[in-house]
Amino acid sequence: RIASLPPPLAWATPKVEVGGAQTPEGTRNAALRRRLRGLEPGAISAEALVRALRRARGRLEAAAQALATTWGSEPLLRFDAVSATLARERGAEVWAVAFAREAARLAEEARALGDRAALYEAQILVGSRQGRAAARVPLLWLLDRLEHVATQATTHRPRLASARLALDVAFAAWGRGEAPPGGALG
């Protein structure tokens, strides 16, 4: 019998600075956000908006890729409700399934936000050529959301690594016909 892996109670969350004000990039992002919020006067060029979106999207894509690498060979997005139920039936612990589902949710949100950012970039450039300004509120929302989800994905990665290990142990025990670490066979 394989000993049960204890559920992680306290996670050391890595400190993540996304666009922090200590770097020149963070200072540019802070100034751009103040202008978008109307707190600071000044025009914002279409190129500056597109650069900010690309930086935020790049950080999100890197964080999502890190989750995918941690998960392994199969696409993380495929760990859906059916996969979660199957994992529980095969003895996977609740916390491991929950962490895997959260990672899949983050991966899906990262994909959707990346698509939206690419669309906004194109709209900003077309609007600029037509002499139209970008809508500030949706753009600010998207920049904030890109950075927030990137931070969530980065801080979730250690949890996903533990979850993947626990799921692998449960599936290996089930494959050998042994009692899984979390209890009786489902």
Side-chain angles (χ1 to χ4, degrees):
R1 177 163 155 83
I2 300 173
S4 176
L5 295 173
L9 299 176
W11 290 96
T13 303
K15 293 189 184 213
V16 178
E17 273 196 46
V18 181
Q22 276 73 32
T23 65
E25 178 184 324
T27 303
R28 282 192 304 273
N29 283 344
L32 180 104
R33 287 168 189 278
R34 283 192 304 273
R35 286 190 181 128
L36 282 172
R37 288 186 174 101
L39 300 174
E40 190 175 284
I44 306 169
S45 71
E47 293 77 19
L49 293 174
V50 168
R51 275 193 311 272
L53 277 171
R54 287 181 180 161
R55 281 192 304 265
R57 184 168 52 129
R59 284 190 295 273
L60 178 59
E61 288 171 353
Q65 182 58 49
L67 281 179
T69 300
T70 300
W71 181 247
S73 60
E74 63 208 43
L76 184 54
L77 293 173
R78 289 185 51 200
F79 195 83
D80 57 7
V82 174
S83 300
T85 300
L86 180 63
R88 284 296 298 139
E89 287 173 356
R90 292 184 177 179
E93 298 194 45
V94 173
W95 65 265
V97 172
F99 285 172
R101 289 288 291 141
E102 175 63 9
R105 184 198 66 77
L106 287 168
E108 174 58 30
E109 188 168 3
R111 186 201 55 76
L113 286 170
D115 290 349
R116 182 175 285 192
L119 179 63
Y120 275 39
E121 289 170 21
Q123 288 175 340
I124 289 167
L125 293 173
V126 168
S128 173
R129 284 192 291 269
Q130 296 173 348
R132 297 180 9 218
R136 291 175 182 236
V137 172
L139 184 58
L140 186 58
W141 176 87
L142 181 58
L143 284 168
D144 287 345
R145 197 71 198 144
L146 286 164
E147 291 187 3
H148 178 73
V149 174
T151 300
Q152 284 184 314
T154 300
T155 59
H156 192 67
R157 189 174 179 198
R159 295 177 188 116
L160 180 61
S162 295
R164 184 63 201 217
L165 177 63
L167 290 167
D168 288 346
V169 167
F171 279 116
W174 178 82
R176 292 187 304 269
E178 298 174 359
L185 288 172

